[in-house]
Amino acid sequence: MNQMTREIIVKFSPMWTNKQIWEFDQLNEELSFDLVYVKPGKYEESAWKSKSSYPDSDIREVVVRTFDNMIDGEELWIANKGKTSLDTKNVAYLMAVLTDIMIEEEVCLNFRIDKNCLVASIDRDADVIDCKEFFEEFYHLATGFNYEIDTGIPDDETEAEMYLTRLQEDFDEKMKTKLGEDYLPGNNDPDTLNAE
């Protein structure tokens, strides 16, 4: 993990849980941001009015739809709607949301604050250890196993299910102790839990 990313994670730690993201979304139903893709080192304030900008947009929709921009090496600059800067209160939220999206892609990100905006890009220099460190900072967003090594999961399907359920319960207990009411068991959001 690069130094700037490490510093911003430390500054805003602990990273938000899914419950905190969900609650923030509920309190800010129409939440949107101004987003712009910029080649590294080429940022100018005029970029916010360019074809690469996405004013007044949903962060999840834009990042999923434009993920190729990040793969092509562009940086995503994020500001509050109608401004060219970002309120500090939105930084931890955005970092958690972006990381949650990237878990699916198994991609580590670099974060930095530049010109009062959050800037995110793919960490192209990340090795396995960097990725492990990065995602461990966001441990509440994903749980999983490394299937390339012997994890001790039984071959029998019923036994394996019991084993994994016990591991999840142990993990939930540990997180509940550490995070209290901010943690949702099984990495769910309240809507999912209430639907069951």
Side-chain angles (χ1 to χ4, degrees):
M1 199 173 0
N2 80 21
Q3 194 59 36
M4 277 192 269
T5 302
R6 193 180 307 279
E7 286 169 11
I8 195 171
I9 286 174
V10 167
K11 182 177 179 181
F12 290 96
S13 280
M15 293 293 98
W16 281 25
T17 65
N18 275 343
K19 182 177 184 185
Q20 288 171 296
I21 293 170
W22 181 84
E23 288 171 344
F24 194 77
D25 285 338
Q26 299 309 302
L27 292 171
N28 302 281
E29 287 184 31
E30 301 298 317
L31 187 63
S32 63
F33 297 92
D34 288 352
L35 314 166
V36 64
Y37 281 102
V38 178
K39 295 229 178 274
K42 303 287 185 194
Y43 173 81
E44 292 177 8
E45 205 161 302
S46 61
W48 296 103
K49 299 194 183 331
S50 71
K51 290 187 300 183
S52 299
S53 69
Y54 297 85
D56 191 9
S57 298
D58 179 282
I59 184 75
R60 290 175 185 89
E61 287 177 16
V62 171
V63 171
V64 168
R65 206 174 63 239
T66 61
F67 182 62
D68 284 347
N69 291 61
M70 291 183 97
I71 288 175
D72 291 341
E74 293 184 49
E75 296 176 330
L76 178 63
W77 288 61
I78 307 168
N80 281 69
K81 179 173 71 170
K83 299 183 179 179
T84 56
S85 63
L86 181 68
D87 292 342
T88 305
K89 67 176 183 148
N90 293 323
V91 173
Y93 165 80
L94 287 165
M95 288 171 60
V97 168
L98 288 168
T99 301
D100 195 32
I101 294 166
M102 294 307 156
I103 285 169
E104 295 273 317
E105 306 293 337
E106 298 179 352
V107 168
C108 298
L109 295 173
N110 285 326
F111 291 117
R112 73 177 192 276
I113 302 291
D114 199 338
K115 300 189 183 349
N116 296 317
C117 295
L118 177 65
V119 182
S121 60
I122 291 177
D123 187 349
R124 298 188 178 289
D125 299 325
D127 59 19
V128 174
I129 293 167
D130 291 326
C131 285
K132 181 176 183 292
E133 280 181 356
F134 178 80
F135 284 114
E136 279 177 353
E137 294 297 334
F138 297 88
Y139 53 81
H140 50 272
L141 291 172
T143 60
F145 304 94
N146 182 348
Y147 288 102
E148 308 220 54
I149 59 171
D150 181 14
T151 58
I153 299 172
D155 291 331
D156 178 73
E157 193 174 323
T158 306
E159 288 178 26
E161 195 170 310
M162 289 168 39
Y163 175 82
L164 292 171
T165 300
R166 192 185 84 243
L167 279 180
Q168 182 67 53
E169 287 168 356
D170 290 348
F171 179 84
D172 287 340
E173 195 58 41
K174 188 169 115 187
M175 291 299 102
K176 194 86 168 144
T177 302
K178 189 167 185 166
L179 298 170
E181 290 300 310
D182 287 333
Y183 181 71
L184 288 173
N187 194 33
N188 292 305
D189 62 52
D191 289 337
T192 306
L193 285 176
N194 294 334
E196 289 175 355

